[in-house]
C-alpha cells in the first residue's frame, strides 16, 4: 500500500477515493450515511460507524496506519454486523471494499462464495475496487469475480478494476458503475465491472429524483394536474378534450404548422400588394387615355394589362420621335441666330 504506482501512493489515493465516495453518497440523499473500517493490522476494526459527518471520516483516515495483511473475509463479516445495527432500518445496505494487495491464502474462493450468499440473503450489496500491480490484479481477478457473481442481486453489486496509470483512483471510481446512480455518468477510462456499463439516464422527465427531488416532484405534479384538467374537459366536451390531449403529444408538429402559417401569411400579403399595384397602374393608364376607369371586385385581366402595356410602349416611341424633331429644330434656329449676329457685327463694305 506504500507503493508509488498510484499518485501519490496507493494508500493516499485510496483515502482520496473514500473522501469522494462519502461526498457523493451524502449529497445524493441527505439520509445517506457512510462508515469507515480497516481490513489490515492485527484484526479488522471499525473506525467510524455510519455517519453524515465528514470530519469523523477524515479523522479516521488520518489516524489509520498501514500494517499487517488484509483479511477480506473477516472485514466483510464485521461490516455486515455494523450495517445490521444501523439506526435507520429503511436504509439499503452496501459495502464498498478496496483490495489493493494480494488476498490472503485462507480467503479461498469457496469461503468467499459462501459469505457472498449469506450477504445476498441479508440484502447486502457489495462493490469491490481492485487496484495494484498487473500481477496482483490478475491473481485476485478470478476470486473476486466469483464473489461478486454470487452476491449479485438485480445488478446491485460491481467489480471495478483500476490499473495503475495517469488517472486518479477517485476519478475512475466516479466514472464507474459504483457511483453512476449518484452522478448519472456511465463507466469510462476502460473500467470494467460485473454489472455492465453503469446506469443510463432513463429517468422520468430526464431528471434524477435522487439528485433533485424537488424538481422531479414539481414536474410530476404539473403533469398530473394537466391530466386531471384534460379528464375534466373530457367529461364536459369530448371533442375539446381530444384536441387538448393531442397537444401533449404533438406540440412539435403544432409548432411546425404554426411556423408554416406564419411564413405563408406574409406571402399572401405580398401577393395582394402586387395585385393592388397592377390595378392602380391600369387605372392610371386608362385615365391618361381619357377613358373612364371602373374597378370591380373581379380579378384583373392580365392579357388586357399586357395589351395596354404594349400600347403604352408605342405611344412612348412616338413621343421620343417628337422630342428628337424639336431638338433638331432648336439647334437649327440657334445656328441661324449665331450667323445673323456675325453678319451684323461685320463692318459694311465700302
Amino acid at each position: 500500500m506504500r507503493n508509488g504506482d498510484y499518485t501519490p501512493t496507493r494508500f493516499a489515493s485510496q483515502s482520496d477515493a473514500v473522501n469522494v465516495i462519502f461526498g457523493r453518497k451524502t449529497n445524493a440523499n441527505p439520509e445517506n450515511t457512510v462508515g469507515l473500517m480497516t481490513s489490515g493490522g492485527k484484526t479488522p476494526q471499525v473506525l467510524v460507524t455510519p455517519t453524515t459527518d465528514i470530519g469523523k471520516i477524515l479523522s479516521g483516515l488520518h489516524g489509520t496506519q498501514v500494517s499487517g495483511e488484509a483479511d477480506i473475509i473477516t472485514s466483510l463479516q464485521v461490516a455486515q454486523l455494523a450495517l445490521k445495527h444501523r439506526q435507520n432500518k429503511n436504509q439499503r445496505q452496501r459495502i464498498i471494499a478496496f483490495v489493493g494487495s494480494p488476498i490472503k491464502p485462507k480467503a479461498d474462493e469457496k469461503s468467499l462464495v459462501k459469505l457472498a450468499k449469506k450477504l445476498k440473503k441479508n440484502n447486502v450489496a457489495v462493490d469491490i475496487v481492485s487496484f495494484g500491480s498487473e500481477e496482483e490484479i490478475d491473481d485476485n481477478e478470478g476470486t473476486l469475480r466469483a464473489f461478486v457473481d454470487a452476491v449479485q442481486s438485480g445488478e446491485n453489486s460491481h467489480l471495478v478494476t483500476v490499473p495503475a496509470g495517469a488517472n486518479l483512483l477517485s476519478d475512475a471510481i466516479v466514472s464507474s458503475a459504483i457511483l453512476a446512480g449518484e452522478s448519472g455518468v456511465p463507466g469510462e477510462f476502460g473500467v470494467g465491472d460485473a454489472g455492465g456499463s453503469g446506469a443510463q439516464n432513463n429517468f422520468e422527465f430526464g431528471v434524477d429524483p435522487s439528485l433533485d427531488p424537488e424538481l422531479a416532484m414539481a414536474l410530476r405534479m404539473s403533469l398530473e394536474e394537466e391530466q386531471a384538467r384534460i379528464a375534466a374537459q373530457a367529461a364536459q366536451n369530448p371533442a375539446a378534450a381530444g384536441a387538448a390531449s393531442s397537444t401533449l403529444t404533438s406540440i412539435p408538429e403544432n409548432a411546425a404548422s404554426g411556423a408554416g402559417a406564419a411564413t405563408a401569411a406574409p406571402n399572401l400579403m405580398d401577393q395582394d400588394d402586387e395585385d393592388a399595384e397592377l390595378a392602380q397602374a391600369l387605372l392610371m393608364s386608362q385615365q391618361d387615355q381619357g377613358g373612364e376607369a371602373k374597378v370591380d371586385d373581379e380579378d384583373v385581366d392580365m392579357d388586357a394589362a399586357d395589351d395596354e402595356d404594349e400600347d403604352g410602349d408605342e405611344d412612348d416611341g412616338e413621343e421620343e420621335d417628337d422630342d428628337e424633331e424639336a431638338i433638331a429644330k432648336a439647334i437649327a434656329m440657334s445656328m441661324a441666330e449665331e450667323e445673323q449676329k456675325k453678319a451684323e457685327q461685320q463692318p459694311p463694305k465700302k
Side-chain angles (χ1 to χ4, degrees), residues 67-300:
S67 62
E69 294 181 352
D71 188 351
I72 186 171
I73 293 181
T74 306
S75 301
L76 292 173
Q77 291 173 342
V78 172
Q80 180 191 359
L81 290 174
L83 292 174
K84 184 178 180 180
H85 293 88
R86 66 193 185 281
Q87 293 181 353
N88 187 357
K89 299 300 181 181
N90 294 326
Q91 292 174 331
R92 288 176 295 180
Q93 305 173 85
R94 178 176 296 276
I95 299 173
I96 300 178
F98 288 85
V99 180
S101 59
I103 299 175
K104 295 178 65 173
K106 68 176 182 179
D108 56 1
E109 183 175 330
K110 185 177 180 180
S111 301
L112 278 174
V113 170
K114 183 179 179 180
L115 177 60
K117 293 179 179 179
K118 181 181 178 181
L119 293 171
K120 181 179 180 180
K121 183 179 180 181
N122 290 285
N123 297 322
V124 179
V126 181
D127 294 326
I128 295 181
V129 180
S130 177
F131 65 106
S133 63
E134 189 174 350
E135 274 185 28
E136 294 171 347
I137 292 176
D138 292 340
D139 292 342
N140 297 335
E141 177 74 16
T143 304
L144 295 177
R145 188 166 294 279
F147 171 82
V148 171
D149 291 342
V151 78
Q152 190 78 257
S153 177
E155 304 295 334
N156 65 341
S157 300
H158 310 89
L159 171 62
V160 176
T161 302
V162 185
N167 297 321
L168 296 175
L169 181 62
S170 58
D171 290 343
I173 294 174
V174 166
S175 61
S176 69
I178 293 178
L179 294 180
E182 280 70 27
S183 61
V185 181
E188 296 176 359
F189 302 107
V191 179
D193 62 83
S197 61
Q200 302 294 329
N201 188 11
N202 294 326
F203 302 109
E204 188 179 12
F205 311 113
V207 177
D208 185 359
S210 62
L211 296 179
D212 199 342
E214 295 180 356
L215 177 59
M217 178 75 68
L219 292 174
R220 188 176 296 106
M221 291 177 62
S222 177
L223 179 61
E224 291 175 356
E225 291 176 357
E226 183 65 17
Q227 291 175 348
R229 185 183 66 81
I230 294 174
Q233 288 183 355
Q236 298 176 358
N237 189 354
S245 61
S246 63
T247 57
L248 294 177
T249 56
S250 62
I251 290 177
E253 297 178 0
N254 293 338
S257 62
T263 55
N267 292 334
L268 293 174
M269 293 176 64
D270 293 341
Q271 293 177 0
D272 294 339
D273 294 340
E274 292 177 359
D275 293 341
E277 291 178 358
L278 289 174
Q280 186 177 2
L282 179 61
L283 178 61
M284 294 176 63
S285 176
Q286 291 176 354
Q287 289 178 351
D288 292 340
Q289 294 177 359
E292 295 181 355
K294 294 183 180 179
V295 179
D296 299 331
D297 294 337
E298 299 177 355
D299 295 337
V300 178

Side-chain angles (χ1 to χ4, degrees), residues 26-78:
T26 54
N27 289 334
N29 193 316
E31 294 185 358
N32 284 350
T33 57
V34 180
L36 179 66
M37 67 170 295
T38 60
S39 59
K42 294 181 180 181
T43 181
Q45 181 181 1
V46 177
L47 301 177
V48 181
T49 56
T51 180
T52 57
D53 187 357
I54 183 61
K56 294 181 179 180
I57 300 294
L58 295 177
S59 178
L61 289 173
H62 182 71
T64 304
Q65 295 181 355
V66 180
S67 62
E69 294 181 352
D71 188 351
I72 186 171
I73 293 181
T74 306
S75 301
L76 292 173
Q77 291 173 342
V78 172

